[in-house]
């Protein structure tokens, strides 16, 4: 009987294996030697698909970007720009929360990654269509990335230990309930994200109205007619 053939090595298999390693053990766990062992191939065979570890991590990061919903930025989507930004931000954060160890790579920006560039293109294009000046649309894309990736880099609630004795009221009179935060991590972190996102969008909406009003003023002056 013929021996079963091993699955052919492919970029997708390498990325899937690398993603599993990153999720389970972090970025430092990924090496071409470790991946080759996980895939049951020789180390040099990986170089037929990727030049080095950085390219593999780029591909893992791009696979996460590809999970982000962009449907709200399509031209026929009925959502206005604040609702679109909100829903996209929630989807983006959910993708990062599912793969927190890859966030430092994503936080560096899209580089040449196709899915990452599609995200940037969708956000920028939607903001310009909504009436934002191109420069402001660029700023919005940047600040949203700062906010979303920053929120996914760590857990505020998890930063507090669940030992009540760590918060002596003589030293920390306002942290009497801090030991409960760790058990409420999801509630606290998601609540903080939603609060910050709403505040950010409310501020942008105010700027949008000011920009529109300034444009109307210019159009109605003699020089702007």
């Amino acid at each position: 009987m013929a021996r079963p053939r091993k699955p052919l090595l492919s970029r997708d298999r390498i990325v899937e294996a690398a993603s599993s390693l990153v999720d389970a053990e972090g970025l430092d766990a990924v090496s071409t030697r470790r991946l080759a062992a996980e895939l049951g191939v020789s180390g040099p065979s990986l170089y037929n698909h990727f030049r080095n570890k950085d390219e593999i991590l780029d591909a893992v990061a791009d696979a996460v970007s590809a999970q982000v919903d962009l449907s709200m930025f399509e031209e026929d989507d009925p959502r206005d720009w604040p609702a679109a930004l909100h829903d996209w931000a929630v989807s983006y954060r959910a993708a990062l929360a599912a793969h927190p160890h890859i966030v430092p790579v994503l936080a560096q920006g899209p580089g040449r990654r196709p899915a990452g560039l599609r995200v940037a293109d969708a956000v920028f294009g939607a903001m310009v269509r909504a009436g934002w000046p191109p420069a402001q649309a660029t700023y919005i894309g940047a600040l949203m990335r700062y906010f979303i990736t920053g929120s996914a880099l760590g857990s505020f609630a998890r930063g507090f230990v669940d030992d009540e004795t760590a918060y002596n009221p003589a030293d920390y009179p306002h942290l009497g309930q801090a030991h409960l935060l760790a058990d409420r991590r999801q509630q606290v972190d998601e609540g903080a994200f939603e609060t910050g996102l709403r505040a950010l969008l409310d501020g942008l909406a105010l700027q949008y109205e000011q920009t529109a009003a300034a444009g109307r003023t210019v159009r109605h002056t003699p020089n702007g007619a």
Side-chain angles (χ1 to χ4, degrees):
M1 176 180 288
R3 297 177 62 186
R5 296 179 60 188
K6 291 181 180 179
L8 292 175
L9 190 62
S10 65
R11 286 180 63 92
D12 288 345
R13 282 194 67 212
I14 296 169
V15 171
E16 183 179 355
S19 181
S20 295
L21 272 179
V22 171
D23 286 346
E25 301 180 34
L27 295 174
D28 291 340
V30 178
S31 68
T32 53
R33 178 178 296 181
R34 177 76 182 275
L35 281 174
E38 294 283 336
L39 292 163
V41 299
S42 63
S45 62
L46 271 64
Y47 296 114
N48 293 324
H49 302 276
F50 295 97
R51 290 183 296 178
N52 50 44
K53 171 183 172 177
D54 288 341
E55 282 196 356
I56 295 172
L57 291 178
D58 260 358
V60 172
D62 213 37
V64 173
S65 293
Q67 299 172 18
V68 180
D69 182 15
L70 298 176
S71 63
M72 66 287 296
F73 296 132
E74 295 175 1
E75 293 191 36
D76 60 351
D77 190 279
R79 282 168 282 194
D80 60 12
W81 68 264
L85 277 182
H86 175 276
D87 294 349
W88 166 71
V90 171
S91 174
Y92 195 175
R93 183 180 181 275
L96 299 188
H99 307 280
H101 292 149
I102 199 65
V103 173
V105 179
L106 283 162
Q108 297 171 9
R112 297 177 180 271
R113 299 192 292 269
L117 289 170
R118 282 193 291 273
V119 171
D121 181 76
V123 175
F124 179 81
M127 295 306 100
V128 171
R129 285 198 309 274
W132 284 99
Q136 287 295 114
T138 300
Y139 301 155
I140 290 169
L143 73 88
M144 293 298 290
R145 182 164 65 83
Y146 297 153
F147 176 70
I148 297 166
T149 57
S151 74
L153 282 172
S155 165
F156 175 83
R158 190 174 286 169
F160 294 86
V161 299
D162 62 358
D163 179 2
E164 188 174 2
T165 64
Y167 308 103
N168 188 326
D171 297 321
Y172 315 110
H174 306 296
L175 297 182
Q177 302 295 307
H179 64 286
L180 302 176
L181 291 175
D183 286 338
R184 301 173 184 176
R185 180 185 64 82
Q186 183 173 357
Q187 176 187 350
V188 172
D189 292 346
E190 290 184 357
F193 178 78
E194 184 65 25
T195 299
L197 180 58
R198 291 290 182 185
L200 189 157
L201 293 174
D202 286 348
L204 285 177
L206 180 60
Q207 288 187 36
Y208 185 83
E209 291 301 320
Q210 292 171 342
T211 299
R216 289 193 294 270
T217 301
V218 170
R219 285 193 296 273
H220 286 85
T221 60
N223 291 333

